[in-house]
Amino acid sequence: MYGLPEERNRSQPAEPEDTALRDSFEATIAADERIEPRDWMPDEYRTTLVRQIAQHAHSEIIGMQPEGNWITRAPSLQRKAILMAKVQDEAGHGMYLYSAAETLGVSRDQLVELLLAGKQKYSSIFNYPTLSWADMGAIGWLVDGAAIMNQIPLTRCSYGPYARAMVRVCKEESFHQRQGFEILHTLSHGTGAQHEMAQDAVNRWWWPSLMMFGPPDDESPHTAQSMAWKIKRFTNDELRQRFVDICVPQAAVLELTLPDPDLRLDEPTGNYRYGEIDWEEFKRVLKGDGPCNRQRLEHRTRAHEEGRWVREAAAAYAAKRARAEERLAA
Ligand code: BYC
């Protein structure tokens, strides 16, 4: 569907400063049209997209672990089937995203290597443990809810393949968010112990969910340029605020409390003001020192090694079929 990186590199000018190409790129962005893989783009635009899309893809794949942990312990067959489907969806999202990144001239293998070497990030949220079944509800409601808030604007991202991948991802995330809400609703309206379990999960996932949106705007090195390129449509703080505003009434329906004594409605703006986020914790998790960082990467590395024979067998089979087709065509 898309040009191979080698092909595209040949068609690109040796001099990226070529003003006509740069002007055409800027005009496309200004007109709110899409940049496509064969179009000329500044190196920094390409690098930013690879960084963000790769981090996003890795998050989907590493994000399978906290929930995968509960598949064998789901409280009913129906819950188990739903959770399995959700975790499989995350794998699918990872695949669309690696494919979108490949249109920028990097291979999935390269990106996976960078992840396993600790040279590319994945979302901070997946470095927290899932301690009870209620965590499946809190992840769906809060983590998938935050993900949708961040990803819906990405369907309007200036880079075509990323924007298109986001359309389907968002539809599936929306189902994930509702299933999480439903799990929490069932628990919070169940026995006293179940209500307590739901509240405990929300207490643990609330603050890390707010961190998912990234550092505050005045400490976010990439936001200004990504907004100018229309990769990001809203800043980290804008999306975080929208998320808080949506969650407050939903928490009331769930009959659960958000663990923030400073949360209050600011009448003039209609926004909920929230307390101080522990940015030191966020930085620690990003540096690899969160509760589950080591475990997540070790698990991913092991799964990658154990899956090597499958990748080799699939490649050998594809080569064999290609040879057979060549023979038939000759
Ligand atoms: N965690 O200048 P900033 C899901 C990094 S998965 C880790 O604001 P940017 C799901 C950032 O990369 C959904 N790192 O950056 C799956 C940058 O790093 P560098 C995951 C973070 O890119 C399974 C540095 O901090 N969603 O839904 O403008 C089960 C400075 O930040 C985080 C996405 O990936 C973080 N939370 O904005 C359930 C969305 N925040 O420069 C659910 C796509 C920031 O050192 N990504 N950093 O490399 C984005 O929208 C943007 O990249 C961000 C950050 C808003 C996250």
Side-chain angles (χ1 to χ4, degrees):
M1 180 162 41
Y2 304 113
L4 293 170
E6 293 79 9
E7 237 178 87
R8 202 185 42 249
N9 287 343
R10 269 204 306 274
S11 68
Q12 279 200 351
E15 290 293 308
E17 295 75 28
D18 187 314
T19 40
L21 289 170
R22 191 172 283 273
D23 287 351
S24 151
F25 170 83
E26 298 292 351
T28 306
I29 301 278
D32 252 338
E33 285 167 8
R34 297 269 162 83
I35 304 294
E36 296 297 338
R38 285 170 187 276
D39 295 338
W40 183 88
M41 60 188 87
D43 285 346
E44 310 78 55
Y45 178 81
R46 188 186 298 277
T47 308
T48 295
L49 279 168
V50 169
R51 178 187 59 78
Q52 176 165 329
I53 300 173
Q55 174 175 321
H56 196 162
H58 300 327
S59 304
E60 299 284 357
I61 299 300
I62 298 276
M64 294 165 73
Q65 292 184 40
E67 290 171 289
N69 178 33
W70 278 89
I71 290 175
T72 54
R73 291 176 287 161
S76 71
L77 186 57
Q78 195 196 16
R79 295 281 186 206
K80 188 195 289 273
I82 295 169
L83 187 59
M84 276 173 64
K86 178 178 191 268
V87 173
Q88 281 177 354
D89 284 351
E90 313 298 356
H93 298 173
M95 296 307 118
Y96 309 145
L97 285 159
Y98 285 128
S99 300
E102 285 188 323
T103 67
L104 291 157
V106 284
S107 72
R108 182 166 129 196
D109 286 349
Q110 285 172 305
L111 298 178
V112 170
E113 247 174 59
L114 289 168
L115 167 71
L116 299 183
K119 292 184 180 159
Q120 273 181 345
K121 296 187 170 77
Y122 57 89
S123 181
S124 50
I125 193 77
F126 301 117
N127 293 306
Y128 292 85
T130 41
L131 303 180
S132 78
W133 170 253
D135 288 25
M136 300 305 99
I139 290 185
W141 178 43
L142 296 173
V143 176
D144 288 285
I148 298 172
M149 187 59 71
N150 165 275
Q151 286 169 182
I152 285 180
L154 289 174
T155 63
R156 294 191 295 116
C157 157
S158 58
Y159 187 58
Y162 191 26
R164 288 189 287 274
M166 281 302 106
V167 173
R168 178 158 174 188
V169 169
C170 283
K171 286 189 181 151
E172 291 176 353
E173 296 291 17
S174 161
F175 150 71
H176 297 170
Q177 194 267 355
R178 280 158 203 228
Q179 68 87 39
F181 186 88
E182 197 269 336
I183 289 175
L184 280 183
H185 194 273
T186 304
L187 288 174
S188 85
H189 293 84
T191 64
Q194 286 172 326
H195 185 278
E196 214 172 288
M197 198 196 282
Q199 183 62 59
D200 172 63
V202 169
N203 291 350
R204 285 180 289 106
W205 289 92
W206 174 248
W207 292 107
S209 300
L210 296 190
M211 295 175 195
M212 281 177 77
F213 294 93
D217 293 349
D218 54 4
E219 288 175 34
S220 160
H222 302 298
T223 293
Q225 183 59 76
S226 288
M227 297 276 287
W229 278 328
K230 297 183 182 168
I231 294 173
K232 286 167 89 162
R233 296 289 184 153
F234 298 97
T235 71
N236 299 355
D237 286 332
E238 283 167 351
L239 291 175
R240 195 172 3 254
Q241 182 64 61
R242 281 188 187 193
F243 178 67
V244 172
D245 292 343
I246 280 188
C247 286
V248 173
Q250 291 183 353
V253 174
L254 287 172
E255 295 182 21
L256 295 171
T257 313
L258 295 172
D260 179 356
D262 296 326
L263 200 60
R264 60 174 178 81
L265 183 65
D266 180 48
E267 298 276 358
T269 59
N271 293 141
Y272 282 89
R273 297 280 161 243
Y274 50 92
E276 194 60 36
I277 295 174
D278 184 350
W279 291 115
E280 288 311 311
E281 175 179 320
F282 176 71
K283 285 178 196 157
R284 270 199 310 279
V285 172
L286 255 58
K287 276 197 188 129
D289 214 9
C292 298
N293 293 60
R294 269 170 287 274
Q295 179 188 332
R296 299 290 184 239
L297 264 191
E298 272 167 26
H299 184 89
R300 185 65 240 144
T301 305
R302 198 167 52 248
H304 189 68
E305 285 310 316
E306 286 173 359
R308 183 177 297 281
W309 70 272
V310 180
R311 293 191 296 278
E312 286 172 359
Y317 180 66
K320 187 173 149 189
R321 280 196 61 163
R323 280 197 302 275
E325 273 167 28
E326 260 172 40
R327 270 201 305 276
L328 272 179

